[in-house]
């Protein structure tokens, strides 16, 4: 190749390299610009998808903005106002609670609460269907719906108490489940509903409903049921305990003393101390005659007569009996 031709070839190659570099630079700029747009688009999409999650959030606030429009307010019972149109609110319950719009479900649940507080007589005839729909909301995976349904359960229990007994089973199991879960604000609301149940539902009706859950496979459910059982028994009073059978109550409490969870064991100890007090009080009221609770003259003798030696020893220890060592020799 001649020197002139070589110079022309080099000039041409240098020109091609510059053009290629220029094209690459333009291409990179376009990619960067497009990448920025795509990144911004992705950020917008991520923010949009986050809104329902925040709206469902475990800690609702009264803040404004886009997120605030999807949040709900958990209204305490004392702050609920009356419905404007009773008939309209009553007719909308079924459709509202079966809606796929979770905000509408929450609004309807709050209307149910208002009706229970201000017009409870109008919902009494539909109590069975109402509990079925309420249980459906309690099973809703959205926390806002679940908590509002639990608050509705509390108001319904307060309003109808013993009138709900025939429909109580599905509601009771859901409240025990919700009180046993890890989500704190749902758990606390369920605990409040269970307290209302043990306060306002007659123990003679409630205790048989609780009994099966004391043997549930789930230790947390057993523990919550044990606490409810313990909380309900004192409402029987002395005469009610006699009628129900103090022997049955002691046997039930004794079985819970060896439960897996401390909460259940502590509830059993509390119940046994209550029963011991009742037993001794009955003897004090009739010192010259045989106790209505038992033919035995002492708490220790009574426990030994009703329980196995091992369970009797556990009960006497739990109640601080001075004669617990006597059981070992029996």
């Amino acid at each position: 190749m001649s020197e002139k031709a070589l110079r022309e070839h080099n000039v041409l190659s240098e020109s091609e390299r510059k053009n290629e570099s220029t094209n690459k630079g333009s291409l990179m700029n376009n990619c960067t610009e497009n990448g920025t747009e795509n990144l911004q688009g992705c950020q917008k999409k991520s923010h949009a998808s986050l809104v329902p999650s925040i709206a469902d959030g475990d800690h609702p606030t009264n803040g404004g903005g886009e997120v605030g429009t999807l949040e709900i307010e958990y209204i305490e019972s004392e702050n609920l106002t009356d419905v404007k149109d009773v008939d309209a609110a009553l007719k909308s319950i079924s459709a509202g609670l079966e809606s796929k719009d979770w905000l509408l479900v929450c609004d309807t649940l709050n209307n149910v609460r208002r009706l229970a507080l201000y017009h409870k007589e109008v919902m009494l005839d539909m109590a069975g269907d109402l509990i079925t729909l309420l249980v459906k909301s309690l099973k809703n995976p959205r926390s806002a719906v679940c908590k509002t349904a639990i608050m509705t359960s509390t108001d319904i229990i307060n309003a109808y108490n013993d009138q709900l007994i025939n429909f109580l089973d599905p509601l009771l199991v859901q409240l025990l489940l919700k009180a046993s879960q890890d989500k704190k604000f749902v758990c606390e609301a369920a605990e409040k509903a269970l307290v209302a149940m043990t306060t306002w539902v007659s123990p003679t009706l409630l205790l048989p409903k609780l009994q099966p859950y004391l043997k549930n496979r789930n230790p947390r459910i057993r523990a919550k049921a044990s606490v409810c059982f313990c909380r309900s028994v004192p409402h029987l009073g002395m005469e009610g305990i006699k009628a129900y059978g103090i022997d049955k109550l002691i046997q039930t409490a004794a079985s819970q003393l060896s439960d897996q969870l401390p909460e259940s064991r502590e509830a059993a100890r509390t119940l046994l101390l209550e029963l011991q007090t009742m037993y001794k009080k009955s003897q004090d009221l009739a010192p010259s005659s045989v106790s209505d609770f038992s033919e035995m003259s002492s708490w220790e003798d009574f426990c030994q007569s009703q329980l196995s030696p091992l369970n009797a020893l556990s009960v006497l220890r739990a109640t601080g009996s001075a004669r617990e060592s006597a059981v070992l020799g029996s």
Side-chain angles (χ1 to χ4, degrees):
M1 181 181 292
S2 67
E3 184 178 348
K4 181 179 179 181
L6 182 60
R7 285 197 302 270
E8 290 177 351
H9 174 74
N10 290 337
V11 170
L12 181 58
S13 299
E14 182 67 24
S15 176
E16 289 174 349
R17 283 195 295 271
K18 288 182 180 179
N19 288 337
E20 183 178 359
S21 177
T22 301
N23 290 337
K24 285 183 177 179
S26 299
L27 180 60
M28 289 299 293
N29 289 336
N30 289 337
C31 288
T32 302
E33 291 172 0
N34 292 337
T36 302
E37 291 175 359
N38 290 336
L39 179 59
Q40 291 173 345
C42 290
Q43 289 174 337
K44 289 179 181 178
K45 290 179 181 179
S46 297
H47 176 70
S49 64
L50 186 62
V51 170
S53 176
I54 296 175
D56 182 30
D58 300 350
H59 306 286
T61 65
N62 293 326
E66 182 181 358
V67 175
T69 59
L70 291 179
E71 292 179 350
I72 70 162
E73 180 184 3
Y74 299 125
I75 309 172
E76 295 300 327
S77 301
E78 57 269 22
N79 296 327
L80 283 169
T81 57
D82 196 0
V83 295
K84 294 180 179 179
D85 188 332
V86 175
D87 290 335
L90 194 63
K91 291 177 182 178
S92 66
I93 289 176
S94 180
L97 294 183
E98 291 180 336
S99 173
K100 294 182 179 180
D101 180 350
W102 69 273
L103 288 172
L104 177 57
V105 174
C106 289
D107 285 341
T108 305
L109 286 169
N110 281 328
N111 279 339
V112 170
R113 298 174 65 198
R114 292 182 175 97
L115 289 171
L117 288 170
Y118 295 99
H119 309 279
K120 66 178 185 178
E121 66 284 350
V122 301
M123 290 197 301
L124 186 56
D125 291 339
M126 58 179 294
D129 294 334
L130 179 61
I131 294 297
T132 300
L133 294 171
L134 183 56
V135 167
K136 181 180 178 181
S137 294
L138 286 169
K139 294 178 180 179
N140 194 299
R142 189 176 288 273
S143 300
V145 175
C146 181
K147 178 171 179 177
T148 307
I150 294 172
M151 297 174 77
T152 305
S153 301
T154 303
D155 289 329
I156 286 178
I157 291 168
N158 288 340
Y160 297 107
N161 41 74
D162 289 356
Q163 293 173 302
L164 292 177
I165 197 64
N166 292 331
F167 318 108
L168 196 62
D169 288 315
L171 183 61
L172 174 59
V173 67
Q174 285 303 312
L175 292 176
L176 290 171
L177 282 168
K178 300 306 177 185
S180 306
Q181 68 169 235
D182 295 326
K183 192 166 287 187
K184 184 178 179 180
F185 82 113
V186 172
C187 181
E188 289 175 347
E191 289 275 12
K192 187 176 180 179
L194 290 172
V195 169
M197 187 177 293
T198 55
T199 302
W200 297 108
V201 177
S202 299
T204 52
L205 300 175
L206 182 59
L207 292 175
K209 299 286 186 182
L210 288 168
Q211 195 88 35
Y213 298 106
L214 297 175
K215 299 179 180 179
N216 193 277
R217 291 182 179 181
N218 187 328
R220 291 187 176 184
I221 290 180
R222 288 201 307 271
K224 296 302 177 183
S226 184
V227 171
C228 290
F229 196 91
C230 170
R231 194 186 294 129
S232 184
V233 167
H235 293 290
L236 284 169
M238 188 176 295
E239 293 302 319
I241 288 177
K242 292 176 187 177
Y244 191 91
I246 191 172
D247 53 336
K248 295 178 183 178
L249 294 171
I250 290 176
Q251 290 163 7
T252 298
S255 68
Q256 298 302 108
L257 279 177
S258 58
D259 195 79
Q260 177 180 345
L261 293 184
E263 186 178 12
S264 184
R265 298 195 299 270
E266 183 59 33
R269 280 192 289 269
T270 302
L271 176 56
L272 285 167
L273 288 169
E274 181 73 24
L275 293 174
Q276 182 188 35
T277 300
M278 290 283 189
Y279 184 89
K280 291 183 176 180
K281 188 179 293 185
S282 72
Q283 291 182 318
D284 293 339
L285 291 175
S288 60
S289 62
V290 176
S291 169
D292 290 331
F293 279 140
S294 170
E295 295 180 357
M296 299 297 179
S297 59
S298 69
W299 169 252
E300 291 83 358
D301 290 336
F302 179 71
C303 289
Q304 286 180 270
S305 70
Q306 299 296 325
L307 303 168
S308 67
L310 186 60
N311 281 347
L313 177 60
S314 297
V315 169
L316 295 177
R317 281 178 174 171
T319 54
S321 172
R323 289 181 54 194
E324 64 180 56
S325 59
V327 183
L328 292 172
S330 62

